[in-house]
Each structure stands twice: as C-alpha cells, then as structure tokens.
Amino acid sequence: MLPHLHLHLEPQQRKRLQVGLTPAEHRRDPAAFFAAHDVGNRGRLPVSADDLRSFIRQMHEEQRREGVDHVELRLSPRRFVWDGMPLAAFLRVAHTTMESLERPSVRGILLINRDSDEEFVRACTGALADLPATFVGIDLAGDESRYDDTAPFRGLFRAARESGLGVTVHAGEFGHLDGVWRALDELGAQRLGHAVAAARSPSLLKRLGNDGVLVEVSISSNLALGAVDAAHAHPVRTFLDAGVPVCFNTDVPLESGATLPEEMASAARLLHLSVAEVTAVQRKAAAFVFRRPG
C-alpha cells in the first residue's frame, strides 16, 4: 500500500480556483501564510457544505492520479463553522463523502487550530463521542511561534486518545524544541508533522526512534514556506540515520505545487537513493496508518 499521511484539504486555495483566481502564494513567509488562513481575514472567501463535498472529491481524484492507495486528509472544521455550517453538519458531510470513496480510500484527521477559542475546543471535545467512523485521528496545527501553549488542548487530546483516535501534531515546523516535547508528553503524539526542530536534539531524536514516532516529512512545503533554508539543509537524513521512521507528504500541494511522486523524487535526490528505495520507505509507513478500534 502506498499511503499519503499528511495532506491538507486547502479549502481556501480550492475556493480561489473555483471562482477563477490563482492560488495564493506565501513563499518563505510563514506569517503571511498563517494570516491568509485566519478565519477573520477580510480577503477570505466563504465556503459551504457543497464546497466541502466538491473539494474532498477533487482531492480524491488528484490522489488517484498520483498512484496513492490510502489518504489521511487533514480537515479543519473551523472555517466552515465560521461560515455558518454547524460542526455536526461538517462532520456528517465529510463522513458521507469520504465513506463513498475508493482507490484511494480516504480517512479524516480532525484538525484543530492553535488559535481556536475555548468554546470551539469544547465543542470539538464534545463531538468526539459520536465522531463518524471515517475520522481516524486528531491534529493540532497553526502558528507555533504565536500559539505554543498546549494546555488549552490537553483535555481534547486526552478525550481523543480515550476514543481510540490516532494523535498527530504539527510541532517543530516553525517552533522550538519545547513544542515537540510538549506534543509528545502533553498531547500523546504518535506521529509528528514536520518536526524540523527535533533534528537539533540528540535526546529528542533518541526518544522518537525508541518510541517509534513517525515524522511526517514534507520537503517541498518546508522549502516553500521557509521552514528550512535550502533542500540540502532539510533534516530528513538526520531522522533516518537516527532510526526515526518517516513518510513523505505534500502537506499543502496547492501552495507548494508538488505531487506525491514529485515529493518522493525530491527525497530520492536529497538522500542519494533511488525512487524505488524511497517508495519502499513510503510503503513501510503504512504501518503507521491510523485505524479506529473495532
């Protein structure tokens, strides 16, 4: 099985394409990237339930063309809720759309933004008890440099673990080492998104290797948004040499312009491996796919 474990729906970028605009680019400017994704941004285009269905199906067709067998799709309800869609409706629409898709199969990761308010976090926590079966994990994402405190999300992630959801956390992409430790120790992360900062700490690398915590690597995205300065500076080799499991991902492909085959080809060049060897690494990541119990 060829999995793709870290992929965002990018509803705002897809909405721009839908209305005839080009996707916005924020090359090497993470502050502008996060500002553009703020629900309060005046230039943001509203999205609907029909958009949610359409965008998931678009993503599915793209992944089929790229030869992917299984997708874990980051789905953030906040912007849809902001535009008037109840949280329960968002979950229901996403579930019924994903449930019908095959080759590749699609499963959802409920993404919570770091700047979410207490009321929204509480609503998401309450929704976990009846979370549709196509949602298999939970993620925390957003601007670590401004919102590095995980305390407001500990109850949510504890409830998610108790519900049998897999836990992945964006950590160490633009933030510091402390954020990676908190993702592990306070939120119970089984996988980490990006984790670029972790490569600077031998003790953290040892922890990731010993505990078998998968790092979801996204070279093209890290370059496009400025998480790393250049391809040769990307720490993926450091992870592999330390025995840390990795997988390759496009993350935000409408932002970076990369497909999964292109991402794996970039990894092959960077690691001085063949594409077949990188593909073998990707297939091993199937062992880290999130599955609900029962």
Side-chain angles (χ1 to χ4, degrees):
M1 178 173 75
L2 188 70
H4 195 174
L5 301 184
H6 189 131
L7 179 65
H8 292 261
L9 184 60
E10 298 180 279
Q12 193 61 195
Q13 297 285 43
R14 293 185 186 277
K15 188 68 178 182
R16 289 179 63 86
L17 289 170
Q18 183 188 88
V19 301
L21 300 174
T22 58
E25 290 188 3
H26 309 94
R27 294 288 170 173
R28 310 197 65 76
D29 191 347
F33 173 78
F34 289 121
H37 288 77
D38 190 324
V39 291
N41 187 309
R42 292 185 177 180
R44 188 181 66 80
L45 300 172
V47 288
S48 67
D50 286 341
D51 290 330
L52 180 58
R53 294 186 189 92
S54 174
F55 296 162
I56 292 174
R57 288 170 181 151
Q58 287 174 14
M59 175 283 309
H60 177 258
E61 183 56 36
E62 291 159 4
Q63 295 303 295
R64 175 182 287 179
R65 291 197 298 267
E66 293 176 22
V68 175
D69 296 310
H70 179 80
V71 181
E72 288 186 1
L73 180 64
R74 258 70 171 184
L75 291 167
S76 172
R78 190 177 62 160
R79 69 176 55 247
F80 291 89
V81 171
W82 184 275
D83 289 332
M85 189 177 184
L87 177 59
F90 170 88
L91 296 172
R92 183 176 62 254
V93 169
H95 166 68
T96 55
T97 307
M98 291 188 291
E99 188 179 39
S100 67
L101 300 175
E102 298 178 350
R103 301 191 315 271
S105 55
V106 180
R107 293 295 179 264
I109 303 291
L110 184 64
L111 186 149
I112 309 300
N113 301 87
R114 288 178 178 269
D115 58 345
S116 297
D117 61 34
E118 182 179 347
E119 181 181 357
F120 183 73
V121 174
R122 187 164 54 248
C124 290
T125 304
L128 294 180
D130 298 309
L131 196 67
T134 51
F135 282 87
V136 295
I138 191 168
D139 183 21
L140 183 65
D143 190 351
E144 290 175 88
S145 64
R146 295 179 61 196
Y147 303 97
D148 62 347
D149 186 9
T150 58
F153 307 99
R154 291 176 195 167
L156 169 63
F157 276 74
R158 181 172 58 252
R161 296 194 304 273
E162 291 171 353
S163 298
L165 293 173
V167 175
T168 179
V169 178
H170 281 68
E173 181 182 9
F174 302 105
H176 300 294
L177 284 172
D178 288 350
V180 184
W181 285 111
R182 283 194 291 270
L184 297 170
D185 295 333
E186 297 180 9
L187 301 182
Q190 300 156 301
R191 296 179 354 208
L192 293 169
H194 308 291
V196 172
R200 301 195 297 268
S201 169
S203 60
L204 188 47
L205 288 170
K206 184 177 180 180
R207 167 77 178 276
L208 298 180
N210 287 347
D211 289 0
V213 176
L214 180 83
V215 173
E216 302 159 352
V217 171
S218 303
I219 298 168
S220 298
S221 169
N222 293 158
L223 286 169
L225 296 180
V228 296
D229 294 330
H232 65 80
H234 198 283
V236 59
R237 170 57 72 185
T238 302
F239 292 138
L240 289 171
D241 288 347
V244 178
V246 305
C247 65
F248 302 104
N249 312 272
T250 58
D251 184 26
V252 284
L254 296 181
E255 183 83 36
S256 67
T259 64
L260 187 61
E262 290 168 344
E263 186 74 17
M264 292 194 296
S266 296
R269 290 191 297 271
L270 181 60
L271 295 166
H272 303 291
L273 297 173
S274 69
V275 172
E277 288 171 313
V278 168
T279 301
V281 171
Q282 189 75 0
R283 292 191 186 282
K284 288 181 180 178
F288 295 86
V289 165
F290 290 150
R291 293 182 175 87
R292 296 277 289 274

